[in-house]
Amino acid sequence: MPDAVFAHPRLAAVYDAFDGDRDDLVAYLGIAAELGARRVVDVGCGTGSLALLLAASGRTVVGVDPAAASLDIARSKDAARGITWIHGDAATVPAADFDLALMTGNVAQVFLTDDDWARALRSIHAALGPEGHLVFETRRPERRAWEDWAASRRHLVLDVPGTGPVEQRLDVTEVSLPFVSFRCTYTFLTDGEVLTSDSTLRFRSRDEVESSLTAHGYQVRDVREAPDRPGREFVVIARVGG
Ligand SMILES: C[S@@+](CC[C@H](N)C(=O)[O-])C[C@H]1O[C@@H](n2cnc3c(N)ncnc32)[C@H](O)[C@@H]1O
């Protein structure tokens, strides 16, 4: 079950507003160009921010996500770009000779067990063509991002077009490494409705990430910085083939 922040229709509708301007996605468009990718699958596409940019750059794009409410938002933004939206998860990506599979927004951290992560890696491997690449980001555990989250006691009020003012509060609820749990509480100030979303993420070390990729038939080509978040992320570029 995806977290409420992605799966509840009222929360999915305000997700983009709280997600900011998405400077992070430019680097992934650059990587798609660098790899010459024409057919791209956006795994965990959410509300479609990256898929739309990829399609606007002339690529054939499939977006896959288990949160129907987020996919509805994505579809509503996709006027005529011909993106294929699939309600499914990383373990059910269709095999379609993709050149590139992308997981932005730290989707890789939602796979909490080794089995879940293995299923995702296997399914994506089968979905890629013989020269295909998997590219994703995951937060560096040594950077201890959760300490910033806890210290900031984030509390934000945004006036969301079509919805009105919404307050978001983030509380770190448990740190039991490699797992970090947090709760986002949203208050819709126009009618007072309060909705909460609980999330747990897994922080894998670079060694864990690389060895799991190798074990599932990928070759790690590069591990880079995210240009907009230096020192915080591993951006992993892996190719199918040993
Ligand atoms: C932080 S959002 C990122 C969305 C999008 N990639 C972006 O960059 O805007 C994480 C997404 O992962 C999706 N997700 C959760 N579990 C998943 C799974 N097992 N397979 C694929 N996606 C999943 C959620 O529904 C959510 O849309």
Side-chain angles (χ1 to χ4, degrees), residues 2 6 15 19 22 24-25 42-47 49 64-67 70 88-90 104-105 107 110-111:
F6 312 119
Y15 182 85
D19 214 22
R22 300 307 306 266
D24 57 310
L25 299 180
D42 182 3
V43 180
C45 63
T47 55
S49 303
V64 179
D65 202 284
S70 290
D89 64 14
T104 58
V107 170
V110 308
F111 306 102

